[in-house]
Amino acid sequence: MNTERAKDYPLRRREVVAALLRDRDEMLVVTGLGASSWDAAAAGDHPLTFPLWGAMGGTVSMALGLALAQPERRVLVITGDGDALMGANGLASVTVQNPANLSIVVLDNERYGETGMQPTHTAGTTDLAAMAAAVGFQTTGTVRDQGEFDAVLPAILRAPGPMLHAIKVRAEDLPLTLPPRDGAHLKDRFRAALLGPEAG
Amino acid sequence: MNDTMPAAPTWPDEIFRILRDFEVAQMAYVPDAGHARLIERAVTANEVRAVPLTTEEEGIALLAGAWLGGERGALLMQSSGVGNCINMLSLAKTCRFPLLMLVTMRGQWGESNPWQVPMGQITEDVLKLAGVLTFPVDSVDDVEETVLAAARMAYEGPAATAVLLSQRLIGAKSFGK
């Protein structure tokens, strides 16, 4: 494990997430437990963002069900390396379905941010993009600086998937910006925004 | 004694018809011998998407996402898979997602693999503790109305529900004796 290197990664998670969501249009967004959900809230609370406060390891699987139900909409996952590792076998189930509208971004700071910044396996030799490629993702990448991020951003938002990009972001403690925490409310407002007020 | 599985059981076809009546669009599963016929129906039907999983908890999250997107789903597993779902069931409970689990029981009635018994014996209790409404069914004659009742409470509640298809109903797996 290397617990020093991520402190110097140039990309900052809040700026990455703000860029991902800047022109979101009708994109559907599922964010993973912890810092990824706070990052999305910092970029602006939105009814078509479903921020998970729990269910660790379930973000990718949840987005898969959503992507299959809404094949005409772009579905973007924004999650962390801890959640992605816990639900890593769900990546294999994604490739069986092969949804072209699903794009997964892992904000990889090599830390469990919510529990005290302990290192995850990606602080060692574990490579999330390589794991995704190994279970059958055709499009994967690891993004390490602003130039690489700017180059790949249009593909993350629009190119045919499924795809997974691990974005190496600085390990840093940031101020909490919290989305609503009532899960039933989050679900109902998402469905109302997507399917109409009667869906609720 | 030969395998006690009855020849060509029709209850899986009844379940499939009910799921279609409820407009279930995604059928997620980790295989079990007791669900073989129902899985085959899901895989071959054009109007249903079959979603094979590597572990059952994926299915709890998958079907929550399906519901966010306006589709109903059902989750097929054997009782050992219930143990894999426990933390993920908090998603269904906290957000009040509809959930219909169809669980084929092991470790319960004439089980010849002792490793199946611990999870099979606590399956219903564990589901209840996790806030799931349970619907055990022991007889072929009761399958249809039980699945119907559970589906109603799942989708019209919404509620998290599990139909427990007894090993007595399915037939205990034989290990060659």
Side-chain angles (χ1 to χ4, degrees):
Chain A
M1 298 269 205
N2 182 329
T3 58
E4 292 302 313
R5 65 188 181 200
K7 295 175 184 171
D8 296 322
Y9 287 161
L11 287 169
R12 313 288 296 274
R13 57 187 307 138
R14 290 271 158 97
E15 292 166 13
V16 167
V17 171
L20 288 167
L21 298 177
R22 186 165 294 131
D23 301 311
R24 57 180 297 163
D25 293 327
E26 297 191 325
M27 190 163 66
L28 310 177
V29 180
V30 183
T31 64
L33 166 62
S36 307
S37 286
W38 321 153
D39 295 337
D45 186 34
H46 194 289
L48 291 178
T49 295
F50 193 90
L52 285 160
W53 283 74
M56 186 161 168
T59 315
V60 166
S61 298
M62 189 167 185
L64 174 60
L66 176 59
L68 296 176
Q70 289 288 329
E72 304 303 319
R73 295 276 195 132
R74 191 70 168 182
V75 175
L76 177 68
V77 170
I78 303 173
T79 193
D81 42 311
D83 173 73
L85 287 163
M86 192 174 282
N89 43 9
L91 294 172
S93 300
V94 168
T95 61
V96 173
Q97 303 300 324
N98 205 31
N101 57 331
L102 179 60
S103 180
I104 300 166
V105 167
V106 183
L107 302 169
D108 184 2
N109 66 350
E110 307 178 359
R111 296 288 188 280
Y112 292 104
E114 294 310 296
T115 55
M117 299 297 274
Q118 298 90 347
T120 68
H121 294 38
T122 61
T125 54
T126 299
D127 180 336
L128 281 162
M131 287 171 66
V135 298
F137 276 71
Q138 298 292 309
T139 305
T140 62
T142 301
V143 176
R144 297 183 178 280
D145 61 33
Q146 190 67 45
E148 290 179 0
F149 180 65
D150 292 343
V152 80
L153 180 60
I156 288 174
L157 298 178
R158 283 182 285 279
M163 63 178 72
L164 181 144
H165 290 89
I167 302 186
K168 292 288 187 178
V169 295
R170 183 174 302 176
E172 56 183 341
D173 255 330
L174 293 167
L176 289 177
T177 305
L178 301 177
R181 72 183 77 193
D182 179 340
H185 166 68
L186 290 165
K187 173 202 66 177
D188 291 343
R189 75 171 191 170
F190 190 105
R191 280 172 53 87
L194 175 61
L195 306 167
E198 70 285 354
Chain B
M1 194 173 77
N2 290 323
D3 196 324
T4 53
M5 183 83 80
T10 58
W11 58 264
D13 297 317
E14 291 170 11
I15 293 177
F16 187 77
R17 182 181 53 74
I18 292 167
L19 297 181
R20 289 305 306 143
D21 287 348
F22 276 91
E23 299 180 326
V24 165
Q26 297 188 30
M27 288 177 62
Y29 63 91
V30 175
D32 181 54
H35 271 322
R37 171 71 182 155
L38 185 53
I39 290 168
E40 184 189 324
R41 292 293 307 267
V43 168
T44 56
N46 290 326
E47 66 275 26
V48 172
R49 180 178 285 271
V51 184
L53 310 168
T54 67
T55 177
E56 294 80 357
E57 66 195 281
E58 286 178 46
I60 308 293
L62 179 97
L63 298 187
W67 180 249
L68 273 189
E71 284 193 348
R72 290 176 174 178
L75 176 56
L76 284 53
M77 69 181 73
Q78 86 170 211
S79 48
S80 51
V82 169
N84 294 343
C85 293
I86 299 307
N87 183 56
M88 203 61 77
L89 283 168
S90 63
L91 180 61
K93 178 82 172 167
T94 307
C95 304
R96 298 211 306 135
F97 279 107
L99 177 64
L100 177 62
M101 303 165 73
L102 301 170
V103 181
T104 45
M105 296 301 300
R106 295 287 308 269
Q108 187 194 41
W109 183 273
E111 178 66 61
S112 54
N113 179 354
W115 295 52
Q116 287 281 357
V117 175
M119 188 65 227
Q121 287 294 313
I122 64 171
T123 295
E124 185 172 9
D125 289 343
V126 163
L127 285 166
K128 284 177 181 293
L129 283 168
V132 178
L133 308 178
T134 55
F135 297 78
V137 49
D138 287 326
S139 158
V140 170
D141 295 337
D142 296 334
V143 170
E144 186 173 356
E145 65 178 18
T146 306
V147 174
L148 193 59
R152 276 203 186 117
M153 292 181 77
Y155 304 125
E156 293 168 14
T161 66
V163 176
L164 308 178
L165 297 155
S166 153
Q167 203 165 13
R168 191 176 191 185
L169 161 73
I170 297 158
K173 182 177 178 179
S174 161
F175 284 86
K177 289 188 178 178

